[in-house]
Amino acid sequence: MMATVPVNILESSPRDKLFFTGPFHEISKSHITLKNLTYKQLIYKIKTTEPKKYCVRPNLGLIGPQQTVTVTVILQPSDTSMFSFQGQHKFQILHTLKDDPDPKKSPEELWSVANPALIFHHKLKCYFETSEEGEQRKKDEKLEVKIDNLKDASKVIDEMKSKIEQLKQQNSKLNISLTESQKQLDHARKPSQFP
């Protein structure tokens, strides 16, 4: 039994869709970036539902603490139209923490003794696009990143405005308190009118 991927162990980019850009009678490549979010080594293995159509390099490996690896996925040339397989081909990213302290063990040896109950998984579906669609998707992705950055900046600005307003209110209260204290001090310093 495998566990579903916890958010704080591994980050995959792309997260759920792996795109391949035609023409498909030639080799088409895509990349998966895996980031280890822990302070321990991770072992990963990538499987596909269509092993004769794809090569994954490297399909098994170690990721150091807080490190990133890039995996290349190669779609073999095909005479059939790949567009009819949208979302049907899948990749599964299996991963677990490295528990064995022996630095001499290969990823294959480590994977063979990994506890199946502690193996997490994440799935990606394959999508196929023309070169024009691929260019447009890349432009859209860059635009989404810019929009996300603007949203993040807007949140920071809103938080700063809120803090400034809080500081203004505190300053106003301090000024009132200072004025009251000054009045009391002035009153205490005045000589009494009665002898």
Side-chain angles (χ1 to χ4, degrees), residues 10 12 32 34 45 91-95 120-122 124:
L10 180 82
S12 165
I32 304 170
L34 303 174
K45 184 173 187 173
F91 283 88
Q92 186 175 43
I93 303 167
L94 306 165
H95 59 283
F120 300 96
H121 67 94
H122 178 73
L124 295 170

Side-chain angles (χ1 to χ4, degrees), residues 9 36 38-43 62 95-100 110-111 114-115 118-120:
I9 297 284
N36 179 352
T38 73
Y39 291 99
K40 291 186 173 185
Q41 280 192 313
L42 281 180
I43 312 163
L62 290 171
H95 59 283
T96 189
L97 290 172
K98 177 189 173 211
D99 286 332
D100 194 321
L110 293 167
W111 190 261
N115 182 347
L118 299 176
I119 295 175
F120 300 96

Side-chain angles (χ1 to χ4, degrees), residues 35 97 132 156:
K35 182 175 182 184
L97 290 172
E132 293 83 13
V156 169

Side-chain angles (χ1 to χ4, degrees), residues 1-193:
M1 177 178 195
M2 287 181 282
T4 304
V5 60
V7 176
N8 59 348
I9 297 284
L10 180 82
E11 183 177 272
S12 165
S13 178
R15 290 178 26 158
D16 54 1
K17 294 178 181 178
L18 188 60
F19 287 93
F20 291 90
T21 304
F24 298 111
H25 62 277
E26 300 171 359
I27 287 177
S28 179
K29 292 182 183 179
S30 193
H31 301 281
I32 304 170
T33 302
L34 303 174
K35 182 175 182 184
N36 179 352
L37 301 176
T38 73
Y39 291 99
K40 291 186 173 185
Q41 280 192 313
L42 281 180
I43 312 163
Y44 73 90
K45 184 173 187 173
I46 300 178
K47 294 182 174 183
T48 179
T49 55
E50 298 291 333
K52 291 181 181 179
K53 293 186 185 299
Y54 299 93
C55 290
V56 180
R57 297 290 178 260
N59 68 336
L60 176 67
L62 290 171
I63 309 174
Q66 301 288 302
Q67 297 296 307
T68 300
V69 298
T70 300
V71 176
T72 301
V73 182
I74 301 167
L75 173 62
Q76 300 299 323
S78 177
D79 292 333
T80 59
S81 172
M82 297 307 293
F83 299 105
S84 59
F85 297 105
Q86 300 287 20
Q88 293 179 22
H89 299 173
K90 297 176 185 84
F91 283 88
Q92 186 175 43
I93 303 167
L94 306 165
H95 59 283
T96 189
L97 290 172
K98 177 189 173 211
D99 286 332
D100 194 321
D102 186 353
K104 294 180 182 178
K105 284 192 177 176
S106 69
E108 291 81 6
E109 291 173 301
L110 293 167
W111 190 261
S112 68
V113 295
N115 182 347
L118 299 176
I119 295 175
F120 300 96
H121 67 94
H122 178 73
K123 292 183 180 178
L124 295 170
K125 291 183 178 182
C126 297
Y127 290 87
F128 308 97
E129 60 192 5
T130 64
S131 56
E132 293 83 13
E133 291 169 331
E135 288 300 318
Q136 186 60 48
R137 179 181 51 80
K138 288 174 187 172
K139 287 179 185 175
D140 291 348
E141 286 172 354
K142 286 179 183 175
L143 183 61
E144 284 176 24
V145 167
K146 288 179 182 177
I147 290 170
D148 287 344
N149 289 342
L150 286 173
K151 286 179 183 176
D152 291 344
S154 177
K155 286 179 187 175
V156 169
I157 290 169
D158 288 344
E159 288 171 7
M160 290 176 76
K161 284 179 180 177
S162 175
K163 294 214 185 246
I164 289 169
E165 192 56 42
Q166 289 173 357
L167 289 171
K168 282 181 179 178
Q169 290 174 3
Q170 288 175 353
N171 189 36
S172 177
K173 288 178 184 177
L174 286 172
N175 281 335
I176 291 170
S177 177
L178 183 61
T179 302
E180 295 278 328
S181 296
Q182 189 64 44
K183 285 180 182 177
Q184 289 174 359
L185 187 60
D186 289 346
H187 182 68
R189 286 184 181 165
K190 274 188 179 179
S192 175
Q193 294 179 1

